[in-house]
Amino acid sequence: MSVLVYIEHADGQIKKTSLEAISFAKGLVDKTGEGDVVAVALGSIESAALAKAGSAGASKVMHDPNDKLSAGVIQAHASAVASAFKQTGAKTVVMAKSSLADAVAARLAIKINAGLVSNVVELPNTDGGYTVKRSIYTGKAFAETSLATENKILAIKKNAADLITDGADAQVEQFDAGVADSDFAAKITSTDRATGDVLLPEADIVVSGGRGLKGPENWGMIEDMAKTLGAATGCSKPVSDIGWRPHHEHVGQTGIKVAPSLYIAVGISGAIQHLAGVNSSKCIVVINKDPEAPFFKAADYGIVGDAFDVVPKLTEALKAE
Ligand code: FAD
């Protein structure tokens, strides 16, 4: 039996978080010893880009290229995924948690009569039941949820699965999800793309700045370090509130939640609301002139020093690598 993975794409490529969801699903079929991983992609994207779903563990991608689906209208996506679910005969849908996926999952759960668990952090325990571990209280604790429904939806948290990269290309098949005009009742008239070369929610490395940087004119050194590392830039909430940086860079409980391999925090105190957005990062480096800054307690590596001294030197050293 197939496990269906709802994948998202941007700039003509499958999002990394969706590739992780595919690898999670592959882990699931390997664990139960049955079935394969089928991904469903919606809207305009080249078949060659979709075939790369195979590298992460999918054997097939069902693609409805209807351009109206490119805008990510929630109701339409829920209907399209429900259609793919019925066509594959799958019992489980996996997706990477995102604001779009959260909205789609809730509607999909109604359409396919499924139990839904979000923020899943590891493969379900299927010994004599179906128990799913999920992250709660912005990463401060875990809960175990038992699913009793036959159909299931798992929305996984970033870094919940190790990305598989050695699979062969997936077979890409076009399908018609049969989405009705009434599913497009909400109309997206324009979308603003975040600035910068690397999108913050997807970034593997993030360099973030806080109020310790004193003003927007000092962000050049953050951008220089980010460019050197191929990283996205982020900031603390007050920094975007004051208007030093755009709101889409605001990281934390009330902003973007990131889970990069490396998070570098410069001149950020480490308030609990900021940590809530970064505590799934694999490695945290803190640069702060105050040795008592709370962020050091959450750091894997810390540099006590003046950012205006440390950051340029560190960037020069990285450039020399
Ligand atoms: P500050 O607390 O002012 O810290 C600045 C740091 O820079 C200090 O540690 C200082 O030692 C250091 N520093 C100063 N000069 C230098 C220098 N030259 N070199 C190196 N270090 C230096 N915050 C978020 O970030 N994200 C959120 O999502 C968020 N949500 C919130 C939700 C609620 C309901 C509330 C009440 C608050 C929220 N906050 C959030 C705000 C949060 O509580 C903190 O106020 C905020 O994170 C502090 O930002 P900061 O660390 O940039 O500034």
Side-chain angles (χ1 to χ4, degrees), residues 211 214 236-237 250-254 267 269 273-274 288 306-307:
R211 218 152 35 179
K214 318 287 183 222
S236 65
K237 182 175 184 294
H250 154 200
V251 169
Q253 185 182 330
T254 48
S269 57
Q273 297 90 352
H274 188 85
N288 197 303
D306 189 323

Side-chain angles (χ1 to χ4, degrees), residues 64-90:
D64 185 337
N66 180 352
D67 194 40
K68 282 168 80 181
L69 290 163
S70 300
V73 176
I74 296 158
Q75 188 64 34
H77 275 221
S79 293
V81 180
S83 167
F85 184 78
K86 283 169 195 150
Q87 289 186 36
T88 55

Side-chain angles (χ1 to χ4, degrees), residues 3-260:
V3 170
L4 187 69
V5 182
Y6 165 57
I7 57 177
E8 294 182 50
H9 53 91
D11 299 329
Q13 301 296 330
I14 301 172
K15 289 187 174 182
K16 183 171 172 256
T17 46
S18 290
L19 292 172
E20 279 180 16
I22 291 170
S23 296
F24 182 96
K26 180 76 171 95
L28 193 55
V29 296
D30 286 349
K31 186 174 179 178
T32 55
E34 31 176 273
D36 60 349
V37 177
V38 176
V40 54
L42 306 171
S44 300
I45 175 169
E46 297 285 330
S47 293
L50 289 177
K52 290 185 185 151
S55 69
S59 52
K60 189 166 102 177
V61 182
M62 297 171 71
H63 178 210
D64 185 337
N66 180 352
D67 194 40
K68 282 168 80 181
L69 290 163
S70 300
V73 176
I74 296 158
Q75 188 64 34
H77 275 221
S79 293
V81 180
S83 167
F85 184 78
K86 283 169 195 150
Q87 289 186 36
T88 55
K91 298 288 176 213
T92 307
V93 182
V94 172
M95 58 184 77
K97 185 176 159 53
S98 71
S99 46
L100 176 63
D102 279 344
V104 169
R107 287 159 180 81
L108 181 65
I110 303 292
K111 286 179 187 290
I112 64 171
N113 195 21
L116 160 63
V117 185
S118 188
N119 255 332
V120 175
V121 292
E122 60 185 42
L123 289 175
N125 181 350
T126 52
D127 295 337
Y130 200 101
T131 311
V132 189
K133 187 171 176 181
R134 66 192 180 98
S135 165
I136 57 170
Y137 299 129
T138 59
K140 287 256 169 268
F142 297 103
E144 292 203 332
T145 305
S146 292
L147 279 180
T149 51
E150 188 185 15
N151 295 339
K152 300 168 181 73
I153 302 173
L154 306 178
I156 68 160
K157 197 175 175 188
K158 277 181 212 164
N159 289 338
D162 288 332
L163 185 60
I164 302 168
T165 54
D166 59 358
D169 275 4
Q171 174 199 347
V172 181
E173 265 180 23
Q174 292 208 351
F175 87 112
D176 179 3
V179 178
D181 283 347
S182 56
D183 285 323
F184 292 95
K187 206 169 183 179
I188 296 174
T189 50
S190 72
T191 50
D192 279 339
R193 195 189 182 289
T195 51
D197 293 337
V198 187
L199 290 179
L200 183 56
E202 301 294 312
D204 197 44
I205 304 178
V206 176
V207 184
S208 251
R211 218 152 35 179
L213 289 173
K214 318 287 183 222
E217 66 281 6
N218 296 322
W219 240 263
M221 64 180 182
I222 298 293
E223 285 170 337
D224 197 18
M225 181 186 266
K227 200 164 178 203
T228 308
L229 289 167
T233 49
C235 67
S236 65
K237 182 175 184 294
V239 162
S240 63
D241 285 349
I242 316 162
W244 292 358
R245 297 298 291 178
H247 277 291
H248 62 71
E249 287 196 359
H250 154 200
V251 169
Q253 185 182 330
T254 48
I256 304 278
K257 291 173 185 62
V258 295

